[in-house]
Amino acid sequence: MTRLDNQNWLTSPATIAVFDALEAAGGPDCARFVGGSVRNALVGRPVDDFDIATRLKPEEAMAALKKAGLKVVPTGLAHGTVTAVSQKLPYEVTTLRRDVETDGRRAVVAFTDDWAEDAARRDFRLNALYADRTGAIFDPTGQGVDDALAGRVVFVGDPNTRIEEDYLRILRFFRFYAWYGRAAPDAAGLAACAAHAEGLTRLSAERVSKELLKLLAAPDPRPAVHAMREAGVLNRLFPAVDDLAAFDAISEASEDAVLRLSALLPDDPSDVAGIARSLRLPRAVEMRLAAAAGGPLDPATGDRELRVLTWRLGKQAVRDRIQRGAAIRPGTGTTKAVALVDNWPIPRLPVGGRDLAKLGIEPGPEHGRILKAFEAEWIADDFPAEGHLERLRRLAAQP
């Protein structure tokens, strides 16, 4: 039997407290770690979340954890999930389940005490791995350990059935391939994703965008994104990308998921804003994508022009456009250009209505005309730090 060794999280006091509480109510082997923690520990990746599967019913698990003095949050009772907080660490505890009914978006479940039934409803074999508190791994599909070690992402059972249960598994297939795949995508899984790509339109935009950004945050998402395009999945999310060269270059140069996403979108701010809204991306991400959509910026752009663009668009937008330009046209100047943008203290417009009032100009349309003319000259002269009142007085005297 494969075993996890030298895993501090398995023997931590926080973990011991949770397992002691559950086993006091359900006996030995009533609870096992499942999914990401087991998979990541097996392949030497960081473990940063703790999911536990248990034979105990949700109410029994809650009672056992509370009896042990642990905080319990009923995070998803309908699906059998509660969260135990042990020494400030969250442990998601879920009763073993089997699907009773699915519609491609959500499932109605029934609780079970059969580990194999629970494994059969999971998405991929490398995620259907369990480990007891000693680190002993249980592999109900018989191939999860081998898949994880070999870098294979293979659906549990029939891939068409798994996808029809939840169409988000299409994106999860590519996301896990981006993070864990080390060979060509599983052919049967890829064919099933292509066949059911239309099902993505039935999902909530929030679920889709969250999965997409996780995929793009992978160390190298390029093989996964190319496979998505070939399977007809990419153009279900936004207009088809004719050429992935810019995306490939940016993905190699930067691990920023939002910057990578910008390379998959049109160079039209209004189009990009519409796509971002349809994906229900956070407002800050939407604005960043729209600002970056003005087109790649040559890193050799002059300092004065960079300052003007930074004044008008903000540091993040100009930095994104420089990095996009550098990826497409690699060469010198990128570090210098980014450093200029990062280090330049964006000045505030140094005059305002009070200054005009001191010149005896009454509030009204004339204020706006003079201030607009001042801003244009001040920017054209590269944001001088002096001579503001003289400039303002001259502009005010003009008809």
Side-chain angles (χ1 to χ4, degrees):
M1 176 180 289
T2 306
R3 182 177 295 277
L4 300 177
D5 295 317
N6 302 316
Q7 300 293 320
N8 292 335
W9 55 274
L10 272 176
T11 57
S12 72
T15 294
I16 291 171
V18 173
F19 271 79
D20 282 351
L22 295 173
E23 291 185 355
D29 198 35
C30 76
R32 296 173 180 172
F33 281 103
V34 64
S37 59
V38 185
R39 177 199 63 232
N40 280 18
L42 182 64
V43 300
R45 300 279 186 92
V47 175
D48 52 17
D49 65 282
F50 305 106
D51 293 336
I52 296 172
T54 181
R55 287 193 173 109
L56 294 173
K57 300 298 187 290
E59 296 79 7
E60 295 171 335
M62 287 185 68
L65 293 163
K66 287 180 178 179
K67 184 177 180 180
L70 298 173
K71 180 182 177 181
V72 186
V73 181
T75 43
L77 283 180
H79 288 83
T81 300
V82 302
T83 299
V85 181
S86 180
Q87 299 193 11
K88 299 182 179 181
L89 292 175
Y91 290 76
E92 194 167 274
V93 181
T94 303
T95 302
L96 300 181
R97 301 172 292 183
R98 58 182 175 82
D99 288 339
V100 174
E101 181 181 336
T102 60
D103 63 2
R105 298 180 63 185
R106 59 185 67 84
V108 176
V109 300
F111 302 133
T112 179
D113 61 1
D114 188 328
W115 297 100
E117 278 192 318
D118 187 76
R121 68 175 300 279
R122 295 184 179 271
D123 49 11
F124 310 114
R125 298 186 314 210
L126 83 172
N127 289 340
L129 294 172
Y130 304 78
D132 67 16
R133 64 190 302 173
T134 72
I137 293 180
F138 299 85
D139 184 2
T141 71
Q143 295 167 298
V145 169
D146 289 343
D147 283 354
L149 295 176
R152 292 189 298 261
V153 181
V154 182
F155 283 96
V156 173
D158 177 53
N160 293 287
T161 301
R162 294 286 82 78
I163 289 173
E164 288 168 357
E165 290 168 348
D166 184 353
Y167 290 109
L168 191 68
R169 286 172 173 169
I170 294 173
L171 290 183
R172 286 177 62 83
F173 175 80
F174 293 105
R175 194 247 288 187
F176 279 93
Y177 177 64
W179 280 93
Y180 296 95
R182 294 207 303 273
D186 175 65
L190 190 63
C193 290
H196 296 283
E198 187 276 335
L200 290 172
T201 61
R202 301 173 57 182
L203 299 171
S204 71
E206 291 86 354
R207 294 182 76 201
V208 169
S209 61
K210 184 177 180 180
E211 200 67 35
L212 178 62
L213 288 173
K214 286 181 179 178
L215 187 162
L216 293 175
D220 184 3
R222 291 174 294 178
V225 170
H226 279 263
M228 288 172 69
R229 186 180 66 169
E230 293 166 10
V233 170
L234 199 59
N235 63 5
R236 292 287 181 177
L237 305 178
F238 30 74
V241 181
D242 295 327
D243 186 358
L244 290 176
F247 170 78
D248 288 346
I250 287 171
S251 295
E252 184 174 8
S254 171
E255 294 187 357
D256 187 325
V258 176
L259 185 63
R260 288 169 169 177
L261 176 57
S262 75
L264 295 172
L265 302 178
D267 279 332
D268 184 304
S270 60
D271 287 348
V272 168
I275 293 169
R277 284 192 295 271
S278 70
L279 288 172
R280 301 286 180 87
L281 290 168
R283 177 64 175 163
V285 174
E286 175 189 330
M287 294 177 66
R288 181 182 171 191
L289 289 171
L297 188 62
D298 189 340
T301 299
D303 292 359
R304 176 175 293 193
E305 185 177 349
L306 286 176
R307 283 190 285 269
V308 172
L309 288 170
T310 303
W311 163 265
R312 298 193 183 283
L313 302 177
K315 291 178 181 284
Q316 184 67 69
V318 178
R319 189 186 303 114
D320 286 347
R321 291 176 61 180
I322 290 171
Q323 290 180 319
R324 290 185 63 187
I328 296 169
R329 297 183 294 274
T332 61
T334 305
T335 301
K336 176 178 176 292
V338 171
L340 183 147
V341 172
D342 285 343
N343 297 326
W344 183 54
I346 300 177
R348 297 176 62 184
L349 188 68
V351 297
R354 290 184 179 181
D355 299 291
L356 290 171
K358 291 177 182 178
L359 296 177
I361 301 173
E362 296 294 327
E366 189 69 0
H367 269 212
R369 181 193 71 79
I370 297 171
L371 290 176
K372 185 175 181 180
F374 178 94
E375 180 183 16
E377 281 196 10
W378 179 63
I379 293 173
D381 288 344
D382 200 15
F383 309 96
E386 300 176 344
H388 307 317
L389 291 179
E390 292 81 358
R391 187 191 301 269
L392 197 64
R393 186 176 290 109
R394 174 175 53 79
L395 292 170
Q398 292 177 358

